[in-house]
Amino acid sequence: GAGVSQSPSNKVTEKGKDVELRCDPISGHTALYWYRQRLGQGLEFLIYFQGNSAPDKSGLPSDRFSAERTGESVSTLTIQRTQQEDSAVYLCASTSDRGLYGYTFGSGTRLTVV
Amino acid sequence: QKEVEQNSGPLSVPEGAIASLNCTYSDRGSQSFFWYRQYSGKSPELIMFIYSNGDKEDGRFTAQLNKASQYVSLLIRDSQPSDSATYLCAVMDSGYSTLTFGKGTMLLVSP
């Protein structure tokens, strides 16, 4: 596609439920990144994929968070047993050049846990 | 722990003035530096990147890098109300794997 596509754009879920967030990168982009942005805060790195392997998972905040990527295509971020502190905008970005020229971000998924 | 520090602002400038946004970083091995603009409720968009010490100009924007001081800045000339946004500084780690972002500086340009 022309840009990074994320779905859903908004998600409201009850505390304790599981959620899946989807990211479809720009075609041909080998690297894919997930970040989290809490209200009024900066971007917090979660996980990075090169192809379908994840060399850096250091940012995942707990074992309730997991992510996978199929080939050099779609990635899914799963949050199990959601908590109110998980409420944030989850941003996905992709790049084809190891980020030498920066990342292109999707429009994000706004997650609200009630 | 890689850190990128920015003054949160807001930085208020009148229309037509020069806005100066600053950023410091902790990883001395960092090689690539980026400025993103983020409008309220929107995702970040890339404005500029810089690799070499000195200045890099693109239209009304100039990025400045001083690796010895671990300092990068963004100048916006002839500021417009449409430049009002949060500006995020981002630093690529020395392994070229991930960007670390600062918390951003809010810029307000008054007509």
Side-chain angles (χ1 to χ4, degrees):
Chain A
V4 179
S5 178
Q6 291 189 246
S7 61
S9 55
N10 279 285
K11 175 72 176 180
V12 180
T13 190
E14 292 181 352
K15 178 180 172 181
K17 300 278 191 183
D18 297 352
V19 295
E20 283 190 352
L21 312 180
R22 175 188 168 107
C23 173
D24 201 341
I26 292 172
S27 179
H29 278 194
T30 55
L32 184 149
Y33 308 81
W34 284 98
Y35 284 82
R36 176 170 74 177
Q37 188 173 32
R38 292 191 168 118
L39 187 64
Q41 301 297 310
L43 273 69
E44 177 187 2
F45 169 75
L46 297 178
I47 188 169
Y48 150 59
F49 287 94
Q50 182 64 43
N52 63 3
S53 67
D56 190 348
K57 305 179 183 179
S58 63
L60 294 177
S62 76
D63 59 7
R64 297 187 295 105
F65 287 72
S66 63
E68 62 179 21
R69 187 179 183 196
T70 308
E72 293 185 351
S73 185
V74 172
S75 175
T76 303
L77 177 69
T78 302
I79 309 173
Q80 295 179 309
R81 303 181 303 281
T82 51
Q83 303 295 312
Q84 287 186 328
E85 64 262 27
D86 299 334
S87 296
V89 176
Y90 288 82
L91 290 161
C92 176
S94 70
T95 185
S96 61
D97 49 19
R98 300 178 69 198
L100 289 176
Y101 304 110
Y103 303 165
T104 301
F105 281 90
S107 56
T109 294
R110 182 177 299 278
L111 175 66
T112 304
V113 182
V114 297
Chain B
Q1 179 78 6
K2 291 168 277 191
E3 294 184 351
V4 178
E5 300 287 342
Q6 295 182 256
N7 188 320
S8 62
L11 172 65
S12 296
V13 301
E15 184 174 357
I18 296 175
S20 177
L21 303 158
N22 305 314
C23 171
T24 58
Y25 59 95
S26 64
D27 183 358
R28 188 169 285 279
S30 300
Q31 298 293 326
S32 309
F33 307 87
F34 302 82
W35 284 99
Y36 282 79
R37 177 175 62 198
Q38 186 174 29
Y39 291 112
S40 181
K42 302 294 186 183
S43 59
E45 57 178 325
L46 181 66
I47 300 174
M48 290 189 70
F49 57 86
I50 186 167
Y51 303 146
S52 303
N53 278 327
D55 295 359
K56 179 182 178 183
E57 186 174 317
D58 184 0
R60 295 187 296 113
F61 299 96
T62 299
Q64 299 175 316
L65 175 62
N66 184 326
K67 289 184 180 179
S69 299
Q70 295 176 244
Y71 176 91
V72 59
S73 65
L74 180 70
L75 300 179
I76 307 175
R77 290 181 300 282
D78 188 24
S79 295
Q80 301 296 309
S82 58
D83 294 327
S84 297
T86 295
Y87 289 80
L88 303 171
C89 174
V91 177
M92 178 67 76
D93 65 46
S94 50
Y96 288 97
S97 62
T98 59
L99 283 178
T100 299
F101 285 81
K103 288 182 165 49
T105 298
M106 181 183 293
L107 173 66
L108 298 175
V109 182
S110 53

